[in-house]
Amino acid sequence: MTTLGEYLIKLLETYDVERVFGIPGVHTVELYRGLANSRIRHHTPRHEQGAGFMADGYARMSGKPGVCFTITGPGLTNIATAMGQAYADSIPLLVISGVNRLKDLGHGNGNLHELPNQSAFASQVSAFSYSITTPSDLPQAMARAFALFEGERPRPVHIEIPVDLMSAAADDLPLPSRPAGFRRPRPSATGIEQAARLCAAAKAPLLIVGGGVKGDVSVVQELAQTLDSPVIMTINARGILSGDHPLAVPASPSLKAVRELIKNADLVVVLGSEVGPTDFDMYVDGNFSIPGTLVRVDIDPVQLQRNVTPDLALTGDAVHATTDILACLDKSAIARKEYSGASRAAKARAEVATELSPEMNRQIGFLHQITAALPGAVIVGDSTQAVYAGNLCFSPDQTQGWFNSATGFGTLGYALPASIGAKLACPERPVVCLTGDGGLQFTLAELGSAIDANTSVIILVWNNDGYQEIKSYMEDNAIVPEGVDLTTPDFPAIARAYGLQAEHLSSAEDFPTTLKRLAASGKPALIQIEERLFCS
C-alpha cells in the first residue's frame, strides 16, 4: 500500500523539489516514510524557526520554493516567525504540517500539540492555509500552491494534514504531471504603449527597482542605459546594477539626497517594489513623495494602490514589463537630457556619503572589504548595525548578493539559518552570514546545522555586548537604557565545540586575510569582530 505520506514525497518530486527542511516528530513521521528512497535531501535544523529561515535563504538564491515539514502546534507556532518574514518579503515557502486526527479537530479536549484552530493561525502569515480532509485533496492543494508560486506574488502557503490521514491509502491517487503554462503575467499592450511614450518624452527619468525584479535583469540595465536614467535600487534589489555602474544609486530612498533625486525627476518608473516604509521611510518622518509622473509595475494589482498612487499602473511581472517597454520604445524620439543620468546619479551618491555619519561610512567600508576579499559573495544579514548601514548605502558586486531581515517583518536570528539555506542553493559562491551578538543568540544552535549540511558559510559576529542600536535609540530619546546589555558568550569557543573553525579578530587590518584564509578552507567558520574595530 502507498500511504498518503509516501504519495506526498512523490508529489513533491513531480514539482522538482530537491530539499526539505524540518524536525521529525510523532505528528509527521509518516511524511518521512518515503523520503529515504526519494531524490529529496532532508536538512534538520535545531528549531523550526531555523527551518523556515533556511528555506527562505534557499528560496531566495535558488528561485525555487523552500519546503518545510513541521509538527502540529508548537512546530507551527515556532515556524510562524519565519513565515512572517517570508510573507513580508514575498518569498515562496511551502509549510506542510501535521494536525490532530480528524475526529479530534475543534473539540478542545487537550490532545497533544492541539491548537484551537491551527489553519486560522497559519493563515495570518500565508497566502492561504489548506486543510486536507480526504487524501484526494492533496494534489489539488499542491497544484494551488505552485500556481501561486509561479504565477502570482509569491508568499508562504500552509498545508495541514491530519495525522490519521498521513497513513491512509493513496494507491488510487494518480500522480499528475507538473502542469505547464504557469507564466507570470504581462501588462496590457495599451499600458505598455503608454509607458513607452512617457519614457521617451521624459527629460529627467528615474528608475526605482525593487525585489520583484527577478530573472533576466539585463533588460532593466538596458532600459536604464536607453533612457539615460539613474537607477535607485531598494534593499532587495541591490546588485542589479553594480555599485560602480555610472547610473547606479544603491542607496535608500529614506535619505535626503535620494529623495532630492526623486523630487527632480519628471518621470519615475517603479519596477517590482511595494514602496514600503522600511525602504522608503526608514526614519518614519512621513516626508517621502514622488511629485513627478509615476508609473508603477507590480504583479499584485492591489499593491499598486498602496503607499503611493501611480498615474499609470501596470499589472504584471516587472521583467516582462521592462522587456515589452523596450520593444515598444521609439528610441529616435527619446528626449534630450539637460543633465546626464550619470551626473545625476554621481551627485546623489556623493551627497549620500556626506549625509551618513562617519561611523556608518566606516561600517559600509567594512562591507566593501568583504566583497573585495571574496568576489561574488552573498552577504546574508540580520538586524544589526553594519546591516542597517548597508541598507542605507551598499551594493554587492553581483546580483543576489545582499539580503537581510532588517527590513519588512524585521526578525532577529535570521542570518545564520538563512545563510545555510543560501549556501545549499549556490555552493559555488562564497556565503557570508553577518549577525550581531544579540541576534545570533536567537538561533545560535544552528551552528550545528551548518556542520550537518556541510555548508562552508563564514559567520561574522558583530559584537557590541547587547542590543546597541536600541540602547542608542533610548539614550537619544532621554530614556534610561534597560534590558539592552547582555552577557555575551565566547562565540569562538561555542563554534569550535560544534566543530567549526573559529577566530577572534584582533585588529581591523587582519580582517581581509583572515576572511580569505577561512573561506579557502572550504569549511564552516566563525569570526568574532568587536564593534570598536570598525566604528572608532
Side-chain angles (χ1 to χ4, degrees):
M1 182 186 77
T2 298
T3 67
L4 189 63
E6 292 171 304
Y7 175 80
L8 169 65
I9 300 302
K10 294 178 181 178
L11 198 54
L12 290 174
E13 286 184 313
T14 298
Y15 285 95
D16 298 327
V17 172
E18 297 174 340
R19 299 181 188 275
V20 167
F21 304 87
I23 302 175
V26 293
H27 282 184
T28 55
V29 289
E30 282 298 330
L31 303 183
Y32 287 76
R33 187 177 295 278
L35 197 56
N37 294 324
S38 74
R39 299 189 305 271
I40 299 173
R41 295 282 306 277
H42 184 272
H43 301 280
T44 307
R46 301 305 188 264
H47 189 280
E48 287 89 357
Q49 180 173 282
F53 287 151
M54 284 183 199
D56 177 302
Y58 173 81
R60 291 183 196 239
M61 296 308 299
S62 70
K64 297 182 176 183
V67 181
C68 301
F69 287 173
T70 184
I71 63 168
T72 184
L76 187 65
T77 56
N78 284 345
I79 205 173
T81 296
M83 293 172 70
Q85 184 72 46
Y87 186 95
D89 285 352
S90 301
I91 304 302
L93 292 190
L94 177 58
V95 177
I96 300 171
S97 79
V99 72
N100 292 105
R101 295 178 298 177
L102 277 170
K103 73 179 186 66
D104 294 327
L105 295 180
H107 296 309
N109 292 330
N111 290 288
L112 181 65
H113 302 329
E114 184 176 4
L115 277 175
N117 189 334
Q118 181 173 273
S119 183
F121 173 84
S123 68
Q124 300 304 300
V125 285
S126 60
F128 66 85
S129 176
Y130 197 114
S131 301
I132 303 298
T133 58
T134 179
S136 60
D137 288 342
L138 185 56
Q140 181 185 17
M142 196 71 70
R144 278 187 58 187
F146 278 85
L148 182 140
F149 296 151
E150 295 174 12
E152 297 184 28
R153 183 179 187 176
R155 276 177 159 159
V157 169
H158 170 242
I159 298 174
E160 64 177 15
I161 306 174
V163 291
D164 51 335
L165 285 189
M166 291 180 189
S167 56
D171 297 284
D172 59 338
L173 291 181
L175 198 63
S177 58
R178 185 171 183 174
F182 285 121
R183 300 194 178 193
R184 296 168 78 80
R186 303 184 103 97
S188 68
T190 302
I192 290 293
E193 291 169 3
Q194 189 175 350
R197 286 194 298 270
L198 289 170
C199 286
K203 294 183 178 180
L206 177 66
L207 301 184
I208 299 178
V209 182
V213 174
K214 301 180 187 298
D216 183 8
V217 299
S218 65
V219 293
V220 176
Q221 299 164 357
E222 184 180 350
L223 181 61
Q225 290 164 351
T226 300
L227 300 180
D228 192 23
S229 169
V231 179
I232 297 171
M233 291 168 281
T234 66
I235 295 166
N236 284 327
R238 300 287 171 81
I240 284 179
L241 266 66
S242 62
D244 58 0
H245 191 289
L247 295 173
V249 184
S252 171
S254 298
L255 296 171
K256 294 177 182 177
V258 181
R259 289 180 174 183
E260 189 68 16
L261 177 64
I262 295 170
K263 177 183 175 182
N264 293 328
D266 61 348
L267 173 70
V268 176
V269 180
V270 178
L271 299 170
S273 171
E274 65 180 9
V275 196
T278 54
D279 257 307
F280 290 78
D281 194 15
M282 191 181 299
Y283 297 112
V284 200
D285 59 20
N287 292 329
F288 175 78
S289 65
I290 301 177
T293 300
L294 173 60
V295 176
R296 287 187 69 178
V297 181
D298 201 284
I299 200 167
D300 182 353
V302 176
Q303 190 61 43
L304 285 168
Q305 303 303 322
R306 291 188 177 122
N307 297 318
V308 289
T309 302
D311 299 287
L312 175 62
L314 302 179
T315 302
D317 175 80
V319 170
H320 289 342
T322 305
T323 302
D324 293 346
I325 290 171
L326 274 167
C328 192
L329 196 61
D330 182 357
K331 296 181 181 179
S332 66
I334 293 175
R336 292 186 62 184
K337 309 297 188 290
E338 182 177 358
Y339 301 104
S340 73
S343 65
R344 290 191 289 144
K347 182 175 182 290
R349 291 194 302 267
E351 290 175 352
V352 164
T354 61
E355 185 177 339
L356 296 176
S357 68
E359 182 181 58
M360 281 187 171
N361 279 312
R362 282 192 291 270
Q363 292 168 9
I364 293 166
F366 163 76
L367 298 174
H368 284 297
Q369 287 189 51
I370 297 173
T371 52
L374 304 176
V378 180
I379 303 176
V380 184
D382 219 296
S383 293
T384 193
Q385 283 182 316
V387 173
Y388 298 140
N391 282 347
L392 286 172
C393 186
F394 170 72
S395 180
D397 59 355
Q398 289 188 23
T399 57
Q400 291 184 293
W402 174 262
F403 63 89
N404 57 77
S405 62
T407 182
F409 204 51
T411 56
L412 277 169
Y414 171 85
L416 174 54
S419 66
I420 296 169
K423 187 65 177 178
L424 289 170
C426 58
E428 74 287 351
R429 291 180 68 175
V431 175
V432 175
C433 161
L434 179 53
T435 182
D437 56 292
L440 179 57
Q441 292 183 75
F442 274 58
T443 50
L444 182 60
E446 303 303 349
L447 291 171
S449 302
I451 292 290
D452 291 348
N454 194 28
T455 49
S456 55
V457 296
I458 306 296
I459 302 150
L460 307 180
V461 186
W462 188 266
N463 193 346
N464 51 34
D465 296 318
Y467 302 124
Q468 185 59 47
E469 197 74 13
I470 303 302
K471 184 175 183 178
S472 298
Y473 185 86
M474 286 179 163
E475 291 171 341
D476 291 344
N477 288 273
I479 300 170
V480 177
E482 284 287 349
V484 290
D485 295 317
L486 303 177
T487 298
T488 302
D490 185 340
F491 290 110
I494 294 173
R496 284 190 287 269
Y498 272 109
L500 283 79
Q501 302 177 91
E503 297 189 18
H504 191 133
L505 191 69
S506 57
S507 71
E509 292 74 19
D510 293 338
F511 179 57
T513 54
T514 302
L515 191 57
K516 289 179 183 178
R517 175 168 43 80
L518 291 177
S521 72
K523 299 178 180 178
L526 179 145
I527 306 173
Q528 178 165 300
I529 301 169
E530 303 303 323
E531 172 203 26
R532 58 180 174 77
L533 294 180
F534 293 94
C535 290
S536 59

